[in-house]
Amino acid sequence: MNWKREQSRPRPAHLAMAVLAALSAAAGHAGATERRGDRAVESIESRAAGEPVLAIVSLQSQRITVYDANGWILRAPVSSGQRGRETPAGIFSVIQKDADHHSNLYDDAFMPHMQRLTWSGIALHGGALPGYPASHGCVRMPFDFAERLFDVTKMGLRVIVAPTDAAPVEIAHPVLFQPKPGAGALAAARMAEADEAAKKAEQARRAAWAAIRESALATVPVRVAENQKRRAEALVATAEAALGAAIPGEARERAESDKAQAAARVVELQTQLDAAKTELQPKLDAAAAAREAAAGAETARAAAAEAARLVMRELEPVSVLISRKTQRLYVRQGFEPVLDVPVTIVDPDRPIGTHVFTAMERTGGEARLRWSVVSLEGSRSQVGARGHDAESTPPASASGALERIVIPPDALDRIAGIAPRSSLIVTDEAVSSETGKGTDFVVLLSGEPQGGIKIRRRDPEAEFSYARPRDGRSPFGGSFFTR
């Protein structure tokens, strides 16, 4: 036996102890990581949290922060796309929510509480957080946090993926849109008119049914009289036939008596029938008039409801994008394009940066809106939010960008009323090809890694299947990949 070799070979007991030690260390490391993740999930406790209006993912800090109108309300660590599959920096919004989602591209991978940002497959969802970028392009969040965020967000929530740390800063500027005067009062008036028209339509329907029932009841005596008259006329005909047969004395007298009685009955029933018809006719006329009135009331109700819908639509959030690259102003509302017009940008050859202005809340009734801005120009952090280490003034570059924009008056008139959660995006970039049916504006920052979205791009004629519902189609129709 080679003594040295035998001495260097690990004994079974020593090997088992080493394995147990390694497993314990790994478990301890995993537990520490999970505990660190738990500690990194924060929520505001100094005030009641409002409705989320904005979420910012910092690729540098690997953190997501959710804001309401007065500052941050939720924070958590994330894991973004790994090298070569980087989560693209840019501007997105939540376009689909699915609490129990599975990927069709990555072996049916579970993506709980998925909130889709692009139809090609970028999304927020619960997942493992190793402490560094590790996903295939999505933004993974702690499982419990993803569920909590899923429950409080709405479709259309603006999501900014920033290369560095960024936060909204309050800003006021004449270029920032404000609600049209009287828009709220007009909407209230239209809703009241719609409610009143609906009540009148219901009343007219009930009146029509009552008139129809009355006419139906009045028809019964007419039908009875008509049937009895037909039977009496049949008896007259039978008696006449018997008389024509030249029957002898007594039988003939009986036939003549039957004929006389039947004829008298016919006259009596005709009188009853005429009276029943006389009574029925006004009720038939009333029923016809009631049906016509009900039809008119229903037409008025539909018109009032449509007018209310249109005016209420103007109170829904609006997204406006101004691109220096294309020199155009675009408007989308409810994930649909509504306006595309030229716009003037002073000194168009000079970069303007990328800035996201968000209408946070109304102040003083419906008169004014508070606005915030997140600037993604350069790598300098714009830190702060109202009530949470906010800077005293907004970034000069954001105000400077607004100073260089000249919006035609007719375009301003065509932009629907601005409401909280509306946004204005001013950017050097063009609208991304990810913007399409069933999306808000998608803007990708050039010069930043976009591996997570490039690997998902396909020929425009080929349907894309990444992380979509299992029936293989967008709920808005057609392919998930939109050019």
Side-chain angles (χ1 to χ4, degrees):
M1 177 180 294
N2 187 323
W3 184 82
K4 290 184 179 181
R5 179 178 299 176
E6 180 66 18
Q7 288 288 80
S8 62
R9 183 182 303 162
R11 296 178 182 272
H14 293 167
L15 183 60
M17 291 177 64
V19 170
L20 287 173
L23 290 174
S24 299
H29 175 73
T33 300
E34 183 176 354
R35 287 192 295 273
R36 286 197 299 271
D38 289 343
R39 286 198 299 271
V41 176
E42 303 175 61
S43 61
I44 190 70
E45 296 180 355
S46 60
R47 61 180 176 83
E51 177 183 320
V53 295
L54 178 70
I56 300 178
V57 175
S58 169
L59 297 176
Q60 180 183 67
S61 298
Q62 291 290 283
R63 184 176 70 175
I64 184 172
T65 306
V66 183
Y67 297 86
D68 68 2
N70 296 302
W72 73 272
I73 53 176
L74 294 170
R75 286 175 176 159
V78 300
S79 181
S80 61
Q82 60 189 265
R83 186 179 182 87
R85 299 174 181 266
E86 297 90 351
T87 303
I91 305 164
F92 309 87
S93 61
V94 174
I95 59 176
Q96 185 193 38
K97 298 178 67 172
D98 185 358
D100 184 23
H101 191 77
H102 293 74
S103 168
N104 284 0
L105 184 61
Y106 297 112
D107 300 321
D108 205 38
F110 186 36
M111 298 178 172
H113 301 101
M114 184 275 293
Q115 302 193 59
R116 183 185 298 278
L117 304 182
T118 71
W119 287 122
S120 61
I122 303 299
L124 309 172
H125 62 81
L129 272 64
Y132 51 84
S135 79
H136 289 87
C138 289
V139 176
R140 298 180 191 166
M141 303 177 291
F143 289 104
D144 290 346
F145 180 85
E147 180 179 7
R148 181 177 180 182
L149 184 64
F150 188 93
D151 291 338
V152 298
T153 59
K154 291 182 178 180
M155 292 278 287
L157 174 74
R158 179 69 69 202
V159 178
I160 298 172
V161 179
T164 60
D165 293 340
V169 178
E170 190 162 350
I171 184 171
H173 195 280
V175 173
L176 294 173
F177 307 110
Q178 291 295 334
K180 293 181 179 179
L186 177 61
R190 292 289 181 269
M191 288 300 296
E193 291 170 1
D195 290 342
E196 183 63 23
K199 292 178 182 177
K200 290 181 178 179
E202 178 62 22
Q203 291 170 355
R205 281 194 297 270
R206 291 181 179 179
W209 278 113
I212 291 171
R213 284 195 298 270
E214 287 294 320
S215 65
L217 291 173
T219 301
V220 173
V222 174
R223 297 289 181 261
V224 171
E226 286 177 340
N227 291 334
Q228 290 178 342
K229 182 186 173 186
R230 279 194 294 271
R231 287 197 292 270
E233 289 173 340
L235 292 175
V236 172
T238 300
E240 288 179 344
L243 289 173
I247 57 177
E250 185 177 343
R252 185 178 184 85
E253 290 176 2
R254 189 165 51 250
E256 288 176 349
S257 175
D258 291 343
K259 177 183 176 181
Q261 291 178 5
R265 182 60 175 162
V266 168
V267 173
E268 179 186 353
L269 292 172
Q270 182 63 53
T271 301
Q272 294 178 7
L273 178 59
D274 292 342
K277 286 183 176 180
T278 299
E279 184 178 352
L280 171 62
Q281 191 57 50
K283 295 180 179 179
L284 291 176
D285 295 340
R291 282 195 294 267
E292 185 176 349
E298 176 59 24
T299 300
R301 183 208 62 78
E306 178 63 12
R309 186 190 69 80
L310 291 176
V311 75
M312 289 302 295
R313 177 178 171 81
E314 291 195 357
L315 297 182
E316 294 177 0
V318 174
S319 296
V320 181
L321 186 143
I322 297 174
S323 167
R324 183 180 69 87
K325 185 171 184 178
T326 63
Q327 298 284 298
R328 298 192 72 82
L329 178 149
Y330 311 90
V331 179
R332 293 178 78 87
Q333 187 176 38
F335 295 167
E336 295 293 337
V338 296
L339 187 62
D340 178 350
V341 295
V343 70
T344 300
I345 298 179
V346 178
D347 195 5
D349 294 330
R350 181 163 57 93
I352 202 168
T354 295
H355 314 277
V356 184
F357 302 87
T358 304
M360 304 295 283
E361 66 178 356
R362 299 186 187 276
T363 59
E366 66 171 45
R368 304 291 294 174
L369 285 169
R370 282 180 52 230
W371 285 82
S372 70
V373 61
V374 177
S375 177
L376 300 180
E377 184 179 18
S379 60
R380 181 174 62 87
S381 299
Q382 307 295 346
V383 181
R386 186 184 185 195
H388 299 276
D389 302 325
E391 296 180 357
S392 58
T393 58
S397 58
S399 297
L402 294 176
E403 295 291 344
R404 292 170 57 190
I405 296 168
V406 181
I407 303 175
D410 59 336
L412 284 173
D413 292 339
R414 296 171 61 187
I415 295 176
I418 301 298
R421 295 176 59 224
S422 295
S423 63
L424 167 63
I425 301 170
V426 178
T427 179
D428 291 314
E429 313 290 350
V431 178
S432 169
S433 60
E434 292 288 336
T435 302
K437 189 172 184 179
T439 77
D440 205 328
F441 290 116
V442 178
V443 177
L444 302 182
L445 299 187
S446 57
E448 297 294 332
Q450 299 179 5
I453 209 162
K454 287 181 178 178
I455 63 171
R456 291 172 169 79
R457 288 177 175 161
R458 296 290 187 270
D459 182 85
E461 296 182 358
E463 186 175 8
F464 199 83
S465 63
Y466 173 74
R468 63 189 183 193
R470 299 191 183 202
D471 62 1
R473 294 185 60 81
S474 158
F476 299 92
S479 158
F480 273 83
F481 182 76
T482 305
R483 279 292 187 187

